[in-house]
Amino acid sequence: MNVQLHTIDQGAGPPVLLVHGFPMDHTMWRFQIESLAASHRVIAPDLRGFGQSPIESISSKIGVAMADYADDLARLLDKLAVEEPVTLVGFSMGGYISWQFYKRHRQRLRAMIQCDTKAAADTPQARETRFKMAEHVEGWGAAHVATLMVPKLLAPSTLQGNTKLVEEIGGMISRTDPVAIAAAQRGMAHREDSTPLLESLDLPVLYIVGQDDQISTTSEMQTMADAAPDGRLVTIPNAGHLSPIENPTAVTAAMEEFLASLPT
Ligand code: MLT
């Protein structure tokens, strides 16, 4: 399917492609877009069905594979005439998609930043939970998904001390098309184990994790960083899973330092 992705394309310089998580949209990167665009070309799409990008209703039944989202991104780079290799930044589901992008479009990559994500496939129990949501989300409505997910996405300090952010994230999830939610859940449930890829990554990789991330833990991400030949981990204080929004200053600084260190 040739999908037209709603995309922010801002700034000039080496290209950086920001891939959002589930069930979110490009606005989760707003702090990073603003800062990085001073020295880079920042490209931040809404994935198929998320934010302002369309999706076919049949996708809720058949799912969208991580490889399909990755191919959407490669087509987007063609459409935007981005010929230079990009630094690919994947957050959580965006990270699962990045592993597929690496496998399918390696020549388009300069470096990777993997943020609050995993390499492992789902456990059987996690897969069941995804299928349940995929089956029922159109009846429940996305607001119910927000109720289920928000407590897991944010650090206890954010949940207790930042009502505005809690409401903002809940609103973003509640506005998501249930078709996109079902499609992505099926795609994530079927995703392969990318752990074998880690030790063969032949490019610089920065791993970033919020210190209170309950979904992709610091120890899991440390293991990933240790396996990569040129990988390192930065742990973000005062943040859970949604570190790019919960502590944007620290995440953006880590990204900027890494980007500045890349060979030209
Ligand atoms: C995300 O933030 O993209 C999700 O937590 C990923 C997942 O459900 O595994």
Side-chain angles (χ1 to χ4, degrees):
M1 186 191 169
N2 198 354
V3 205
Q4 298 295 317
L5 300 182
H6 172 80
T7 302
I8 302 299
D9 182 3
Q10 201 172 308
V16 177
L17 175 59
L18 302 174
V19 187
H20 64 79
F22 167 87
M24 299 170 207
D25 59 42
H26 77 275
T27 61
M28 67 154 285
W29 296 116
R30 66 184 182 285
F31 299 105
Q32 288 75 31
I33 294 170
E34 203 183 312
S35 295
L36 297 179
S39 50
H40 291 79
R41 179 176 180 185
V42 182
I43 299 161
D46 287 340
L47 293 167
R48 211 189 279 199
F50 295 93
Q52 295 174 56
S53 295
I55 191 164
E56 288 179 327
S57 57
I58 183 71
S59 302
S60 69
K61 294 283 171 269
I62 59 177
V64 176
M66 300 299 104
D68 294 333
Y69 293 117
D71 290 351
D72 288 349
L73 295 173
R75 272 190 295 270
L76 175 68
L77 294 177
D78 287 341
K79 186 171 159 241
L80 298 177
V82 177
E83 282 165 17
E84 218 181 310
V86 302
T87 297
L88 178 61
V89 185
F91 169 80
S92 200
M93 182 177 83
Y96 312 157
I97 295 167
S98 297
W99 301 131
Q100 288 301 315
F101 193 96
Y102 177 89
K103 285 180 79 171
R104 301 162 76 85
H105 307 286
R106 167 67 188 91
Q107 78 287 357
R108 306 200 79 142
L109 288 173
R110 178 183 186 212
M112 292 170 81
I113 301 179
Q114 288 287 49
C115 201
D116 299 277
T117 193
K118 295 170 190 288
D122 279 347
T123 61
Q125 192 191 349
R127 210 168 276 141
E128 273 318 299
T129 308
R130 292 197 195 279
F131 287 136
K132 184 173 169 207
M133 186 182 288
E135 198 57 38
H136 297 290
V137 63
E138 287 175 74
W140 293 344
H144 181 64
V145 176
T147 309
L148 295 175
M149 286 194 70
V150 168
K152 297 183 195 147
L153 294 173
L154 300 169
S157 54
T158 312
L159 287 166
Q160 283 148 28
N162 196 341
T163 319
K164 194 161 163 269
L165 191 57
V166 174
E167 282 170 8
E168 186 193 319
I169 304 305
M172 176 167 50
I173 297 175
S174 301
R175 284 190 297 277
T176 302
D177 183 346
V179 171
I181 292 178
Q185 284 288 40
R186 292 189 195 283
M188 286 191 282
H190 288 298
R191 77 186 190 282
E192 65 191 26
D193 179 14
S194 294
T195 311
L197 203 64
L198 297 177
E199 60 186 32
S200 60
L201 294 170
D202 59 349
L203 75 188
V205 191
L206 172 66
Y207 294 89
I208 295 178
V209 65
Q211 72 177 5
D212 293 322
D213 190 336
Q214 309 170 45
I215 297 174
S216 323
T217 61
T218 50
S219 64
E220 192 172 358
M221 289 208 68
Q222 183 68 61
T223 308
M224 288 160 64
D226 290 345
D230 187 6
R232 67 191 176 92
L233 176 74
V234 173
T235 302
I236 305 296
N238 306 318
H241 188 59
L242 261 171
S243 66
I245 309 185
E246 293 182 85
N247 192 342
T249 309
V251 169
T252 309
M255 288 169 70
E256 282 176 340
E257 195 191 325
F258 175 73
L259 288 167
S261 76
L262 294 176
T264 44

